[in-house]
Amino acid sequence: MTYIKKVAELPGLTSVPSCYAFTPSPNDQAVSEDPEDSIPIIDFSLLTSGTPDQRSQLIQELGQACQDWGFFKLINHGVPESLMEAMIEGIRGFFNLTDKEKREFEGKNVLDPISCGTSVNTSMEKVFYWRDYLKVFVHPEFHFPNKPAGFSELSSEYCERTRGVARELLKAISESLELEPFYIEKVMNLDKGLQMLYANFYPPCPQPELAMGLPPHSDHGLLSLVTHNGIGGFQLKHNGMWVNVNAIPNSFLVNIADQLEILSNGKYKSILHRAVVNKKITRISLVMTNGPSLNKIVNPAPELVKNGVDQPAYHGITYKEYLQCRQSSGLDGKGNLDRIRI
Ligand SMILES: O=C(O)CCC(=O)C(=O)O
Ligand SMILES: [Fe+2]
């Protein structure tokens, strides 16, 4: 297995090696011409320190964003910008380690607390993605590579802060579903909730139209908080078209993930998104997924089944099994969720 960083740095590389070249389908390449201005923006500070009126107005906007987009940009979230920037530099430092150093952290199994590698699952793929990754379980137990120096301490703080933001958002999302504020927190056992960090490294690519950073997929947890180094490449699917999303500086891109789609019985749908690559600049992204505890069986909330739809739309499944199925079937749109749809 060769890291894509190494491939991209080969002197005189002018074309994509065939094992990274996809046949582009015209349908899939279409990107919406609409300005991205319509993507909802949620002001987190109104949730935590707004007046009761501002808070309830915001919860309504949040519910609308979850329903219409499954996605929003989060501003004024209280995580220091310096910490976010330091994390991106920590990730850069990690991928700049030697191959030998990185190999120490290669995991074998989907439930290994630390793993790094290239593409998504090279043992199954015929064509590889233009992406190196580091994936770490950071809660309920904090694991982390011990290199580069200081990165683990920084990450510990970042994980705790983003977990706090996610919990506050999940409280508001519970309310937007007309459930009591701590509903999701309690039924998902968030005190033992699995939080995972994904660091993605996409080096420049000589033919970005042939390669793919990450294929269309939805995230597996409840809610993901994404940041990046300011380089475009994140696209989400909205009304059948891909929309380019550029982050507002110092904001999070927040997406609804599969367990929240199940819990809400499909009222809030997990969003399909992907990462495209570019010719000039390395793109780094940092994704924090916040999920239930591993042994939690996730079901549609009975309160929501009674209130709206007649029948549960998904079979219950433990989060652990869900992760294992996803790993063995690969990143395939929303295929993993489709398997448990009733
Ligand atoms: O690189 C990105 O912006 C998105 C990454 C992503 O979707 C993921 O790691 O799940
Ligand atoms: Fe994702």
Side-chain angles (χ1 to χ4, degrees):
M1 187 211 65
T2 313
Y3 288 101
I4 195 63
K5 180 172 183 289
K6 192 146 208 181
V7 176
E9 285 170 355
L10 287 172
L13 185 78
T14 53
S15 62
V16 164
S18 60
C19 58
Y20 296 96
F22 289 89
T23 318
S25 101
N27 216 3
D28 221 37
Q29 297 299 310
V31 173
S32 169
E33 295 299 324
D34 286 347
E36 60 164 302
D37 301 1
S38 46
I39 295 177
I41 297 175
I42 296 294
D43 183 344
F44 187 77
S45 65
L46 296 179
L47 272 184
T48 49
S49 43
T51 63
D53 275 358
Q54 284 173 323
R55 184 177 152 84
S56 57
Q57 168 74 24
L58 195 92
I59 288 175
Q60 213 178 337
E61 285 169 26
L62 181 61
Q64 208 60 50
C66 293
Q67 211 168 339
D68 297 347
W69 285 83
F71 181 85
F72 52 90
K73 296 182 183 180
L74 189 72
I75 57 168
N76 300 329
H77 45 68
V79 180
E81 191 167 12
S82 55
L83 180 59
M84 293 167 76
E85 286 170 0
M87 279 301 290
I88 296 288
E89 288 320 302
I91 294 169
R92 199 187 297 282
F94 178 84
F95 288 107
N96 278 338
L97 296 175
T98 63
D99 285 9
K100 189 162 166 260
E101 286 171 306
K102 282 186 273 196
R103 293 234 146 88
E104 258 183 73
F105 306 113
E106 267 172 25
K108 297 276 170 291
N109 186 293
V110 61
L111 295 176
D112 285 344
I114 300 180
S115 53
C116 81
T118 194
S119 194
V120 175
N121 185 348
T122 48
S123 63
M124 285 172 40
E125 292 155 347
K126 293 196 184 71
V127 182
F128 302 137
Y129 300 103
W130 200 267
R131 168 221 192 204
D132 290 335
Y133 69 88
L134 167 67
K135 184 178 106 178
V136 194
F137 287 33
V138 292
H139 187 267
E141 267 174 45
F142 181 76
H143 300 269
F144 218 77
N146 56 2
K147 290 176 194 159
F151 187 27
S152 169
E153 291 74 10
L154 204 67
S155 297
S156 166
E157 186 183 349
Y158 186 78
C159 295
E160 198 175 321
R161 296 258 197 168
T162 50
R163 199 160 61 245
V165 172
R167 276 178 96 131
E168 200 59 43
L169 285 173
L170 288 168
K171 237 159 77 186
I173 288 175
S174 284
E175 289 181 68
S176 78
L177 289 165
E178 294 175 9
L179 300 167
E180 63 102 3
F182 291 98
Y183 185 94
I184 297 180
E185 188 156 327
K186 280 191 213 142
V187 296
M188 293 289 151
N189 194 13
L190 289 192
D191 283 343
K192 295 260 158 46
L194 178 64
Q195 186 187 30
M196 288 166 70
L197 173 151
Y198 288 85
N200 299 303
F201 186 92
Y202 312 97
C205 172
Q207 293 173 294
E209 63 290 353
L210 293 184
M212 195 72 217
L214 266 181
H217 68 281
S218 57
D219 291 351
H220 49 69
L222 290 158
L223 213 54
S224 296
L225 269 59
V226 184
T227 48
H228 57 70
N229 64 337
I231 308 299
F234 185 100
Q235 296 184 334
L236 62 81
K237 200 144 206 187
H238 183 63
N239 292 337
M241 294 283 273
W242 288 107
V243 179
N244 282 313
V245 181
N246 293 302
I248 306 168
N250 196 20
S251 69
F252 287 115
L253 308 175
V254 183
N255 67 70
I256 300 290
D258 296 344
Q259 306 310 307
L260 197 50
E261 175 167 337
I262 301 170
L263 177 103
S264 71
N265 205 31
K267 182 167 185 195
Y268 295 166
K269 300 213 164 28
S270 60
I271 181 121
L272 266 186
H273 56 284
R274 66 181 184 183
V276 297
V277 293
N278 77 78
K279 224 172 181 158
K280 293 202 174 120
I281 310 179
T282 293
R283 177 165 182 273
I284 292 172
S285 68
L286 169 56
V287 181
M288 301 302 304
T289 65
N290 299 274
S293 64
L294 264 179
N295 54 10
K296 182 79 220 163
I297 300 175
V298 181
N299 277 300
E303 291 80 351
L304 299 177
V305 176
K306 263 193 240 115
N307 287 344
V309 192
D310 288 328
Q311 299 292 327
Y314 309 86
H315 292 289
I317 180 171
T318 64
Y319 186 37
K320 183 173 175 178
E321 259 181 287
Y322 193 86
L323 289 175
Q324 286 165 330
C325 288
R326 189 176 190 262
Q327 181 72 3
S328 55
S329 54
L331 279 190
D332 153 33
K334 289 179 69 167
N336 206 33
L337 198 57
D338 290 341
R339 268 182 285 281
I340 57 161
R341 233 181 263 282
I342 296 175

